[in-house]
Amino acid sequence: MLILLLILVPFIGGLASFLFGEKMAYAWAVFTSLLTLAIAGTAYYFYSQATHTTDLSFDCPWIESIGSTFSLSMSDGLSVLMIGLTGLLFPCVFISMQNKQPERKHVFYGLMLLAQAGLIGVFLAKDALLFYLFWEVALIPVYFLSSMYGGPNRIPVTFKFFVYTFVGSLVMLVALLIIYNHTPVHSFSWDAFVSVGRSLPEADQSWLFWMLFIAFAIKMPVFPFHTWQPDAYEQSATPVTVVLSAIMVKMGLFAVVRWLLPIIPLGSIHWMNVVLLLCIIGVVYASCMAMVQTNIKRLIAYSSIAHIGLMCAAIFSYSNNLLGVQGAYIQMFNHGINIMGLWILVSIVENRLGTQDLREMGGIAKIAPRFTIALVLISLANIALPLTNGFVGEFMMLNGLFNSISTYRMVFTIIAGLGVILSAVYTLGMIQKVAYGELNEKTASMKDLTMNEWIILLVIMGIILFLGFYPNALMLLVDTP
Amino acid sequence: MNAIVLSGIWGVVMMFAGLFLKSSKQIQWTALLGIIALLVVSILDYQAHSVQAQTYFGMMTIDVYTSWFSILITACCAMYLLIFHKDIAAVGKNEAEYFALIFFVMCGVYLLASYSNLLILFLGIEILSIPQYILAGSDKENIKSNEASLKYFLMGAFSTGLLLMGMTLIYGATGSFDITSEKFVGQFEQLSSMSSLSFVGILLLLISFGFKVSAAPLHLWTPDVYDGSPTAFTPFMATIVKVSVFVAFIRLFHFSFGNVSDAWQIAIASMIVLTLIIGNVTAVYQQSLKRMMAYSSIAQAGFMLFSIFAVNSTLAYKGILLYSVVYSLASIGVFAVIIKMKDYTYDGFNGLAKKQPVLAFTATVCLLSLVGIPLTGGFFAKYFVLSAVVEQGKYIWIVVFAVLMAAISAYYYFRVIRSMYFKTGEAAMHTEPTTWDKTLLILNAMIILLLGVLPSLVFG
């Protein structure tokens, strides 16, 4: 039952937020998200102690006539990590927003909580139809959020994002239906899909692969399906961008691990090199784009494409020692934490200075030391410097890529390694432009972090350093793939 | 059977009500009473027939499926009348007659659901169509309404002619109108022994059917008729009438012509492709919401055609039931908001969410359902009809094509949501919704959401 609460609490909390009205909205949202975090924490505890395992899965018949069950399960380290990330992210974002509240708060927080319910559902679903349902349901609140809050150009940009992902997921639905029809006793369960998917002939797998992969690639996004992403990140309100970039894009990676590689193994190996090539192109291309951006949100958006590209490449590396996949799991969590920290910092800069343009910033280090400490540390984690959380995952991913079964593994690893260097170039460049240099009219009046922001960023920095020193905490979770 | 009788009788009652009842309120209440009675009677019919199918006069066979469909469609019609009864009465002076015509249409609907003889099919189609010609032209002083009526009548008469011609040819080949008779069944056992007369007959029936459900390339009357008719009647024509024609023809094509599906499947496939592409692409370019909904009803018919295309699949039967209910309720919900507005263009909806949050919310649920977003009934409706085709193993490409068209449909449905929620404007109202209106619309939206979680509720 515990696992059901993970979805029900934010879902009901979100619906209630619409009814409660504006006054209560903020307190209610923080309360609900903390409650969700507490449940996620309990679930993590149960999982790590291997007790109360019945609480970590839920099954009940849903639409029996077509063999679909309402089946949720928290059965592996990856779903634990993703639930942890989702649980952690929403209270952090909410608390960091205390100073600048959006208009019509109850709508904003209600939609955010509904999005959280959908996202958690994606990470828990063990039934293909249920997975598809949550996959779409998570999108709708985000569509409304991005369209209602954000930059002047937000409506068409969000619509582009919506259409991209909607087309992808519809094609995915057809692929799921085709696999479903091959199951001997028609069933949507994950186990049935895995056993029937493996036995499909390679010719079928090779086109089913693309029907599924395109949906996931659009969500991640992998080059060349990424064109919606920088615009959407730039135009959405920053709290929404956090949800998009820290969790929603992980849905794509998660879906590859859960719903593509085990179900279409031959197809995945067949197209491995193509996918790796796209990922690596994405890493280099996005890094180069990030270097020339003058808008801070676009810069981080491109940096996100580069990181996701490397994670996707590691997942597809098929290294003999599994290091690549495990590294990607760890990085999915760590990247979520780091990018959340970066976005919170960006929203602070944006709210105080009223600009996203890097050229109008500078010198903040002199007047806002706390802010600068947080910016530097989180940026270094984004570069994956040793002793920050980013390092372990990145090291394992590159190692995995190097040990890949791909014929071109050397080339891929070297070029991907280039991406690490480039990430240092643009991230350090960003620190320099924001924090150092001379103060100007706009930045001179910048206030340092308020208490609530400082607490959230301290939590994030604490996680970064803790996992940098003691990555074993994550390694234990992903050890058994 | 009792529902058929009662709907006919109540039509006559309504005509007399116009003579004896002076106040419009009383007439509306009589109509509502009638539809509730009809609902009760069809539930009783269902209980009577749930054990075993019964044949009446060798003309009609009422079985579980038929009587269950009758309940569902009556419930949809009740929802339509509850939401629109005031608007129907406001169309013109002869309000009692409009309600009478609606009850006659319902009589046709029940006949179509239960025929086992081609003559009853013809009778049903005619009883269904003729009142509609009148309803389309009921706004007598409006030239567009007159045009709609005339156009509908001329084109409808033409398609009726083709229907009769098709039946005659099939009669010539089989020597029987009874679709359960040995002669009839024997003729369509396999393609090689089928006479060429039947082949042409099937195609003519198909054309006439395509006309009635506004499948391209026989859809040209639809936008003008739906746009020109009084807004109170458009949802009735686009939903309840249209889906019952589907249920009528799915019986004929699956039970009787199922074994010779090679003869007509290609024709249906090309109809599907054309309908989806013309319906969806043209809808994108509309500026008036009423016209957009007309094209949307063409596009949705394209999806419903899949249930006919997927021969002898139980999923197809379930799918068309669910699609009928969900599509009807969703369209009714959207039209209920349209009719409250002064300006039917997209710009007329700007800022509706701030002014009337309930209307905007219920319209959004209905629109999401029409797109086919999960958690609304529309998702499972599309799911069932499409998976019926996937189940057959071939023709996957047409399913992929259909989902891409569904993505196009997202464009014009979401455009309404954009106007309502993200743009600022006046959103001038024609009539202010009462609390009762809002309650009904919320109930309607809740049913759609409920069917999005538990679609098996409509399978009976």
Side-chain angles (χ1 to χ4, degrees):
Chain A
M1 277 312 280
L2 186 75
I3 196 164
L4 198 59
L5 283 182
L6 267 175
I7 296 176
L8 281 183
V9 167
F11 183 72
I12 295 173
L15 291 184
S17 173
F18 289 109
L19 302 176
F20 282 0
E22 214 152 325
K23 273 187 191 158
M24 289 274 291
Y26 178 70
W28 175 250
V30 173
F31 168 74
T32 313
S33 61
L34 285 175
L35 187 62
T36 314
L37 176 62
I39 299 170
T42 318
Y44 165 73
Y45 179 76
F46 286 169
Y47 178 82
S48 62
Q49 302 294 320
T51 55
H52 296 83
T53 40
T54 46
D55 280 332
L56 295 182
S57 62
F58 179 82
D59 268 294
C60 84
W62 181 30
I63 311 168
E64 281 174 277
S65 58
I66 55 170
S68 181
T69 50
F70 196 92
S71 130
L72 306 169
S73 140
M74 202 155 142
S75 51
D76 59 354
L78 185 61
S79 50
V80 176
L81 278 177
M82 287 294 106
I83 295 299
L85 180 64
T86 317
L88 200 58
L89 183 124
F90 279 83
C92 286
V93 172
F94 290 165
I95 293 172
S96 78
M97 287 175 67
Q98 197 184 3
N99 305 340
K100 185 164 161 77
Q101 295 287 354
E103 279 174 46
R104 293 200 291 150
K105 281 187 278 185
H106 57 300
V107 175
F108 181 88
Y109 290 114
L111 289 171
M112 284 289 256
L113 290 171
L114 289 182
Q116 187 184 20
L119 288 163
I120 290 178
V122 170
F123 297 133
L124 292 179
K126 275 281 188 174
D127 180 280
L129 199 62
L130 195 62
F131 164 75
Y132 178 80
L133 184 127
F134 281 122
W135 176 274
E136 289 284 350
V137 164
L139 180 64
I140 296 297
V142 172
Y143 166 74
F144 276 92
L145 279 169
S146 302
S147 298
M148 284 198 271
Y149 303 94
N153 208 16
R154 61 186 188 270
I155 296 171
V157 163
T158 309
F159 194 65
K160 182 175 169 191
F161 159 61
F162 178 82
V163 168
Y164 258 71
T165 47
F166 190 56
V167 170
S169 40
L170 283 173
V171 176
M172 168 177 93
L173 178 65
V174 178
L176 292 177
L177 272 178
I178 293 168
I179 300 171
Y180 163 77
N181 268 303
H182 283 97
T183 50
V185 184
H186 280 359
S187 158
F188 275 106
S189 80
W190 184 77
D191 300 310
F193 265 52
V194 170
S195 64
V196 80
R198 284 171 192 283
S199 55
L200 291 177
E202 190 172 345
D204 285 355
Q205 288 201 20
S206 79
W207 53 266
L208 277 172
F209 172 84
W210 282 106
M211 286 177 84
L212 289 168
F213 182 70
I214 285 182
F216 306 151
I218 290 171
K219 207 84 165 189
M220 283 188 234
V222 167
F223 178 89
F225 305 105
H226 67 282
T227 51
W228 61 269
Q229 193 247 32
D231 293 334
Y233 282 17
E234 183 195 346
Q235 291 294 328
S236 303
T238 311
V240 183
T241 317
V242 183
V243 177
L244 274 175
S245 69
I247 310 181
M248 274 203 102
V249 299
K250 305 294 189 306
M251 277 165 64
L253 290 165
F254 178 88
V256 168
V257 174
R258 173 66 54 85
W259 294 100
L260 183 60
L261 297 190
I263 292 172
I264 310 286
L266 295 178
S268 305
I269 293 180
H270 183 84
W271 292 107
M272 177 176 86
N273 280 323
V274 178
V275 174
L276 283 177
L277 181 68
L278 292 179
C279 294
I280 301 298
I281 291 177
V283 170
V284 177
Y285 165 80
S287 302
C288 293
M289 288 300 283
M291 283 195 290
V292 296
Q293 296 303 317
T294 54
N295 182 307
I296 188 165
K297 290 181 88 170
R298 287 187 86 86
L299 190 152
I300 298 177
Y302 278 109
S303 128
S304 185
I305 299 180
H307 281 106
I308 296 283
L310 186 58
M311 286 179 230
C312 183
I315 287 171
F316 274 93
S317 67
Y318 282 99
S319 55
N320 303 323
N321 49 15
L322 288 173
L323 270 185
V325 177
Q326 292 177 357
Y329 290 2
I330 291 178
Q331 190 67 357
M332 277 161 77
F333 181 80
N334 286 331
H335 178 258
I337 297 287
N338 298 342
I339 203 98
M340 167 171 67
L342 277 178
W343 284 122
I344 290 176
L345 289 167
V346 166
S347 79
I348 291 168
V349 172
E350 195 187 349
N351 289 339
R352 310 241 162 114
L353 304 184
T355 177
Q356 302 172 355
D357 195 332
L358 282 168
R359 289 166 298 189
E360 296 177 20
M361 300 175 189
I364 292 174
K366 288 177 192 150
I367 49 170
R370 284 176 180 175
F371 175 86
T372 315
I373 292 171
L375 177 69
V376 171
L377 186 76
I378 295 173
S379 302
L380 291 180
N382 197 38
I383 307 175
L385 206 72
L387 292 188
T388 63
N389 62 349
F391 172 70
V392 194
E394 195 128 321
F395 174 76
M396 287 166 73
M397 289 195 296
L398 288 171
N399 189 330
L401 201 54
F402 189 71
N403 285 312
S404 163
I405 54 169
S406 162
T407 347
Y408 314 104
R409 61 198 172 96
M410 287 294 278
V411 188
F412 286 146
T413 316
I414 291 168
I415 302 177
L418 206 62
V420 180
I421 303 170
L422 291 175
S423 91
V425 176
Y426 61 76
T427 314
L428 293 176
M430 180 190 75
I431 299 180
Q432 190 198 352
K433 282 175 200 155
V434 174
Y436 300 102
E438 291 303 313
L439 281 169
N440 60 29
E441 292 157 27
K442 269 196 174 151
T443 53
S445 58
M446 164 106 179
K447 285 200 203 74
D448 205 351
L449 301 180
T450 58
M451 195 42 89
N452 63 316
E453 294 162 351
W454 186 228
I455 289 171
I456 291 303
L457 287 167
L458 276 179
V459 169
I460 291 172
M461 289 192 284
I463 296 173
I464 288 175
L465 289 175
F466 173 73
L467 294 177
F469 279 98
Y470 186 67
N472 223 9
L474 294 180
M475 294 292 288
L476 290 174
L477 278 177
V478 299
D479 239 0
T480 44
Chain B
M1 186 64 194
N2 295 330
I4 301 175
V5 177
L6 184 71
S7 57
I9 291 177
W10 208 272
V12 180
V13 168
M14 286 311 299
M15 284 162 69
F16 280 102
L19 279 180
F20 296 113
L21 299 177
K22 286 290 164 258
S23 114
S24 167
K25 264 243 160 70
Q26 287 170 328
I27 293 172
Q28 291 172 34
W29 279 108
T30 320
L32 292 179
L33 187 71
I35 196 75
I36 302 292
L38 217 45
L39 189 59
V40 172
V41 166
S42 44
I43 290 171
L44 293 177
D45 272 358
Y46 173 69
Q47 280 168 346
H49 295 106
S50 57
V51 186
Q52 130 184 48
Q54 199 170 350
T55 308
Y56 293 92
F57 317 114
M59 287 289 189
M60 283 175 285
T61 308
I62 301 186
D63 55 15
V64 186
Y65 186 81
T66 303
S67 46
W68 180 246
F69 172 76
S70 301
I71 295 181
L72 293 177
I73 203 73
T74 316
C76 290
C77 187
M79 182 60 96
Y80 162 75
L81 282 180
L82 280 171
I83 293 180
F84 284 96
H85 62 92
K86 273 184 257 164
D87 307 297
I88 295 172
V91 167
K93 284 179 195 147
N94 313 315
E95 56 258 67
E97 277 157 35
Y98 308 145
F99 290 112
L101 291 169
I102 287 174
F103 280 99
F104 288 135
V105 172
M106 287 311 286
C107 182
V109 168
Y110 299 131
L111 284 178
L112 282 183
S114 53
Y115 72 93
S116 65
N117 190 303
L118 291 180
L119 290 176
I120 297 289
L121 172 68
F122 174 71
L123 205 61
I125 290 274
E126 283 300 275
I127 295 182
L128 189 82
S129 304
I130 292 170
Q132 281 193 84
Y133 305 147
I134 309 170
L135 287 178
S138 52
D139 189 2
K140 284 185 199 160
E141 324 224 312
N142 185 342
I143 186 123
K144 275 177 87 181
S145 179
N146 284 314
E147 181 201 340
S149 182
L150 184 66
K151 212 172 220 173
Y152 202 6
F153 173 68
L154 288 179
M155 299 290 273
F158 209 58
S159 93
T160 306
L162 292 179
L163 182 71
L164 269 183
M165 184 72 193
M167 284 179 187
T168 318
L169 291 177
I170 287 176
Y171 181 77
T174 60
S176 170
F177 280 127
D178 187 350
I179 60 174
T180 53
S181 67
E182 265 174 46
K183 284 191 222 160
F184 198 93
V185 175
Q187 168 73 17
F188 298 106
E189 236 152 29
Q190 48 185 329
L191 194 57
S192 51
S193 65
M194 195 173 85
S195 91
S196 51
L197 280 181
S198 312
F199 186 79
V200 181
I202 289 177
L203 285 187
L204 286 174
L205 286 185
L206 195 63
I207 290 172
S208 167
F209 158 71
F211 173 85
K212 291 291 174 200
V213 299
S214 68
L218 309 153
H219 67 286
L220 292 164
W221 59 275
T222 318
D224 290 336
V225 171
Y226 286 5
D227 195 22
S229 304
T231 314
F233 298 130
T234 310
F236 185 66
M237 298 194 246
T239 58
I240 291 154
V241 171
K242 187 182 263 193
V243 298
S244 37
V245 177
F246 268 106
V247 171
F249 276 86
I250 198 172
R251 282 163 65 97
L252 191 61
F253 279 87
H254 284 204
F255 283 122
S256 306
F257 306 151
N259 292 331
V260 293
S261 60
D262 287 342
W264 50 267
Q265 248 186 338
I266 289 296
I268 290 255
S270 32
M271 264 175 158
I272 291 176
V273 171
L274 274 176
T275 310
L276 285 174
I277 202 158
I278 292 176
N280 282 304
V281 173
T282 324
V284 167
Y285 293 100
Q286 300 307 315
Q287 294 307 320
S288 149
L289 231 70
K290 198 176 168 189
R291 231 179 146 75
M292 181 278 272
M293 286 301 289
Y295 280 103
S296 127
S297 96
I298 298 177
Q300 300 282 349
F303 278 98
M304 284 188 263
L305 279 171
F306 275 109
S307 62
I308 307 241
F309 180 71
V311 185
N312 290 334
S313 145
T314 48
L315 281 177
Y317 288 102
K318 289 176 174 171
I320 194 67
L321 274 186
L322 184 62
Y323 215 117
S324 305
V325 174
V326 170
Y327 162 72
S328 299
L329 293 181
S331 297
I332 289 172
V334 176
F335 273 108
V337 177
I338 293 180
I339 202 168
K340 296 265 182 290
M341 308 300 293
K342 202 170 240 163
D343 180 2
Y344 289 173
T345 62
Y346 285 99
D347 290 338
F349 279 70
N350 286 354
L352 186 68
K354 283 220 174 72
K355 208 170 163 193
Q356 294 286 354
V358 173
L359 291 196
F361 169 75
T362 56
T364 304
V365 171
C366 295
L367 289 164
L368 291 179
S369 177
L370 289 172
V371 182
I373 302 281
L375 275 193
T376 63
F379 166 69
F380 280 110
K382 286 205 168 66
Y383 166 84
F384 275 102
V385 291
L386 290 183
S387 75
V389 179
V390 174
E391 197 185 46
Q392 303 208 316
K394 26 183 194 175
Y395 304 113
I396 298 294
W397 60 270
I398 200 169
V399 176
V400 174
F401 175 78
V403 298
L404 293 179
M405 289 298 133
I408 293 185
S409 80
Y411 177 82
Y412 51 86
Y413 291 128
F414 269 76
R415 209 170 140 199
V416 189
I417 298 180
R418 266 157 74 178
S419 290
M420 294 190 299
Y421 278 92
F422 313 141
K423 296 199 172 161
T424 48
E426 286 294 300
M429 309 291 289
H430 182 260
T431 41
E432 292 291 326
T434 60
T435 320
W436 174 237
D437 289 337
K438 288 181 187 170
T439 319
L440 279 173
L441 286 178
I442 288 177
L443 177 70
N444 188 35
M446 287 302 144
I447 296 174
I448 292 173
L449 290 175
L450 182 68
L451 292 178
V453 185
L454 296 168
S456 27
L457 289 178
V458 296
F459 300 150

